[in-house]
Amino acid sequence: MTWERTHVDEGARRQWRSTIAAAQAGDRQALDELVEGWLPLVYNVVGRALNGHADVDDVVQETMLRAVDNLGSLRDPDSFRSWLVAIAMRQIRDRARRRQPDRLEESAAREATDFAELTVLRLQLEGQRREVAEAVRWLDDEDRQLLSLWWLEVAGELTRRELAAAAGISRQHAAVRVQRVKERLETARGIVRALDSACPGLRDLTARWNGRPDSVWRKRLARHIRGCGYCGDTREAVVPAERLLVGIALVPIPVGFTLSLALGGKTAAAATAATSVGWSAKVMAALTQPAVAVTAGATIVAGGAYVVTQAPDAPPSRAAAPTAASTARPPSPTPSATPSAMSSPSPSPSRTRKVDLYGTIVDAADQAPDPNAEPAALPRRPESGITSTWGAKAVMQHRGESVTLSGQGYVLVRWQIAPHDRPGALAMPTWTGLKGEIFHVASGGGRRMDDVIGDGSDRGYVTGMGGPDIGYTVLPDGTQQMWQNEYFYLDGTVTLHQNERGASYGLTVMPSSWDKVNDDVRYGPPQGAIRYGLVRDNGKDTAPVPQYVTRATPADPATVAQRSRVSPS
């Protein structure tokens, strides 16, 4: 990058910082510029995510309303763009949770402009750029939401850090998700290309198709294309989607688009009264004045309504249109590759009488021991035997599966983390309906799951929790980092639940014995393991209690609290 470009970008950043600061102070013209400058970005994020559904205007309205109403809480003007896009994505997800299956009448459906068509027409796209825009119709809602962000990243309007923040995922997970969306987009491009062809087999297949893209027909058409020599014969080089998206700018907001910022329909007087203290009162006082300021592309009228009044080729406003280069924050230090969340130790528990609780609390994540440090001696507890509702071995791979264990003895819980299948936040397994006592006595298997195990050449794994190519499995804050094998001692009855709701994982659960636990924790580096195991048991009633355990039987076992405090039976 040249010195001149750097100088211009820094100047643009300073201008937006000063505009945001002025708007926070109640400057009407600054707020006018802010809304006008960033409304196209929000409109494109929402429009592409919802593909021009009739709800687009409402979601854009709610996003900008929340941004204006909460602007005073923004502490760092440099984070305004990622903050604004994150608000838009939350509104999109909220709308998806609220809405019932689409039952729009045909007339209402016709009124909702297909955003893919709008993109093609307004930007006059042809060839493979048109193909990419039309392929978006074939993506599922979740993929389309991420594509709306990736599209803007490729076009230089967002950074990867901002994309991840807006999607609510890690940068590593974002890389995996984006790659999957790219693959599905390429499949959809093939469908668009095939439908434009004259394949007789495809004509027969689609004879009863209503012309509306959906997941069922996407699979049927993709299956046909894979086995069809005619449809699979691409007569021109296919340009990667990211190279095509670079040339597709923001779709201009349609003339006549109205954005009302009257705080959810309140009257000006009520809105001002409700926010009589602080920033919102200043802004509403400015917004509700009859005087208006005409800006490039929008007019703010009485009551705080922005109406697009000028054609798309109108000259830019005083503040340059936002781009990734003009508003990007300085890069932050690269995060550690270690996926486990390192939280500070929990405060010491309040003093309680021995009769109130048993065991110790393990809710502060511990550090991995030295690989060559041999474990302490494992106390031997009584073993009369453990029975399991799954028999000799329970293999739980899916949410909702559970195993009930009863008796007196040792239990092995072996972890299988699968970020190559689905990375992200992990919903921990939980112990419910405890009768008696349970202790977390040892960790083994030759390694912790966050130990480095390779260079990524083995299915993308760098640690047992994942790698940058496939994404990481991330534990909830404060959760103890698990080892390959975790051992527990049970004297009573308890049910272990597999609560997979985010990251993919599996559990193998089986009765064990003191001899097997002792052998495992002493299997250390000389035998080829990464580290010796860790003995947690002190042989007494004060030994550690596992996290996520309760005597209750909640309807949703995933709601069990992390804090390991259990009353006596």
Side-chain angles (χ1 to χ4, degrees):
M1 181 182 291
T2 64
W3 177 89
E4 290 82 6
R5 173 65 181 274
T6 303
H7 183 71
V8 170
D9 290 345
E10 178 57 34
R13 281 198 297 270
R14 283 199 301 269
Q15 183 167 348
W16 278 113
R17 283 197 293 266
S18 63
T19 301
I20 293 167
Q24 288 179 315
D27 185 311
R28 186 188 67 193
Q29 184 177 357
L31 183 68
D32 196 1
E33 288 181 3
L34 201 61
V35 172
E36 179 222 338
W38 294 92
L39 182 57
L41 185 72
V42 172
Y43 177 75
N44 276 258
V45 169
V46 176
R48 289 201 175 97
L50 302 184
N51 194 32
H53 189 278
D55 288 352
V56 166
D57 289 6
D58 291 341
V59 175
V60 172
Q61 169 106 359
E62 187 65 19
T63 298
M64 298 305 294
L65 175 62
R66 289 178 181 270
V68 167
D69 193 33
N70 293 284
L71 186 60
S73 65
L74 179 67
R75 296 182 178 182
D76 182 6
D78 280 337
S79 66
F80 177 83
R81 179 174 57 191
S82 58
W83 176 76
L84 180 61
V85 174
I87 292 175
M89 296 306 295
R90 281 197 297 273
Q91 298 310 307
I92 291 167
R93 289 191 287 266
D94 287 349
R95 173 252 185 201
R97 283 192 293 266
R98 289 193 307 266
R99 75 183 174 102
Q100 298 298 318
D102 242 333
R103 296 176 181 174
L104 287 176
E105 296 180 356
E106 287 297 320
S107 59
R110 285 193 297 269
E111 291 173 4
T113 304
D114 185 319
F115 204 82
E117 180 180 353
L118 186 65
T119 302
V120 171
L121 294 177
R122 298 297 298 277
L123 299 180
Q124 300 180 350
L125 301 184
E126 296 179 352
Q128 292 190 36
R129 283 197 172 91
R130 177 192 62 80
E131 181 185 277
V132 170
E134 293 183 345
V136 175
R137 295 188 180 111
W138 289 94
L139 298 181
D140 294 330
D141 289 350
E142 187 173 276
D143 287 339
R144 202 158 46 235
Q145 290 174 21
L146 186 64
L147 180 70
S148 72
L149 300 175
W150 180 59
W151 191 306
L152 294 174
E153 180 195 10
V154 173
E157 300 293 340
L158 290 178
T159 65
R160 174 55 59 88
R161 190 185 307 277
E162 290 167 335
L163 179 151
I169 56 180
S170 68
R171 293 179 68 183
Q172 292 88 352
H173 190 191
V176 177
R177 290 272 311 276
V178 165
Q179 181 58 38
R180 291 174 181 167
V181 168
K182 287 166 62 176
E183 292 170 358
R184 290 164 186 157
L185 182 63
E186 290 304 326
T187 298
R189 289 178 66 188
I191 292 173
V192 172
R193 196 178 308 121
L195 290 173
D196 283 344
S197 71
C199 173
L202 193 62
R203 283 203 303 271
D204 292 340
L205 176 64
T206 58
R208 300 194 328 188
W209 178 42
N210 62 10
R212 296 178 186 171
D214 60 39
S215 59
V216 173
W217 276 99
R218 182 183 66 220
K219 293 174 183 176
R220 289 177 181 173
L221 295 173
R223 188 163 52 245
H224 167 84
I225 292 168
R226 284 195 299 269
C228 178
Y230 191 98
C231 293
D233 181 17
T234 303
R235 292 171 174 75
E236 63 175 321
V238 178
V239 180
E242 52 264 46
R243 287 176 55 188
L244 297 169
L245 294 179
V246 170
I248 302 180
L250 296 181
V251 174
I253 302 174
V255 172
F257 177 89
T258 301
L259 177 67
S260 175
L261 301 179
L263 283 182
K266 296 178 183 178
T267 64
T272 305
T275 56
S276 58
V277 178
W279 177 85
S280 292
K282 298 178 183 179
V283 172
M284 287 309 301
L287 285 175
T288 54
Q289 292 177 9
V292 299
V294 178
T295 63
T299 300
I300 177 171
V301 299
Y306 288 75
V307 182
V308 175
T309 57
Q310 297 183 8
D313 56 355
S317 61
R318 182 164 56 86
T323 64
S326 67
T327 59
R329 299 182 61 183
S332 58
T334 303
S336 168
T338 302
S340 56
M342 297 304 296
S343 61
S344 58
S346 301
S348 300
S350 58
R351 294 182 179 179
T352 56
R353 292 180 298 165
K354 177 69 166 58
V355 296
D356 293 333
L357 302 170
Y358 81 87
T360 55
I361 298 171
V362 293
D363 294 310
D366 61 18
Q367 299 291 330
D370 183 276
N372 295 302
E374 293 195 26
L378 178 68
R380 186 186 288 270
R381 292 179 180 264
E383 300 177 69
S384 61
I386 294 290
T387 60
S388 165
T389 53
W390 280 59
K393 180 188 294 185
V395 181
M396 302 192 296
Q397 300 285 355
H398 306 289
R399 179 177 67 201
E401 295 178 330
S402 64
V403 58
T404 299
L405 305 162
S406 301
Q408 185 185 61
Y410 294 89
V411 175
L412 164 64
V413 177
R414 183 173 177 85
W415 282 85
Q416 302 108 36
I417 301 293
H420 62 276
D421 178 31
R422 189 172 61 252
L426 188 145
M428 290 294 292
T430 54
W431 308 85
T432 69
L434 173 64
K435 297 178 182 178
E437 294 180 336
I438 186 171
F439 299 99
H440 185 189
V441 295
S443 300
R447 64 186 175 95
R448 286 192 1 158
M449 296 301 286
D450 62 343
D451 281 331
V452 175
I453 59 175
D455 58 4
S457 57
D458 181 16
R459 300 187 73 184
Y461 283 87
V462 174
T463 78
M465 304 291 283
D469 292 335
I470 59 174
Y472 287 103
T473 297
V474 182
L475 304 181
D477 287 344
T479 297
Q480 190 68 46
Q481 174 63 57
M482 75 286 290
W483 295 51
Q484 179 75 72
N485 293 338
E486 294 290 356
Y487 293 97
F488 304 88
Y489 179 83
L490 173 66
D491 186 0
T493 299
V494 73
T495 299
L496 179 63
H497 301 264
Q498 215 277 31
N499 295 317
E500 180 185 67
R501 298 190 180 186
S504 178
Y505 72 94
L507 301 173
T508 300
V509 185
M510 65 186 80
S512 188
S513 67
W514 180 91
D515 290 323
K516 291 179 180 178
V517 179
N518 192 56
D519 287 345
D520 189 355
V521 297
R522 294 193 172 279
Y523 176 78
Q527 292 83 20
I530 294 176
R531 66 179 75 245
Y532 287 98
L534 182 67
V535 169
R536 302 179 185 276
D537 194 5
N538 62 11
K540 302 177 183 178
D541 196 47
T542 54
V545 175
Q547 295 180 314
Y548 301 98
V549 60
T550 179
R551 296 193 183 280
T553 54
D556 182 359
T559 60
V560 174
Q562 181 187 94
R563 192 163 179 78
S564 306
R565 298 167 65 93
V566 185
S567 62
S569 55

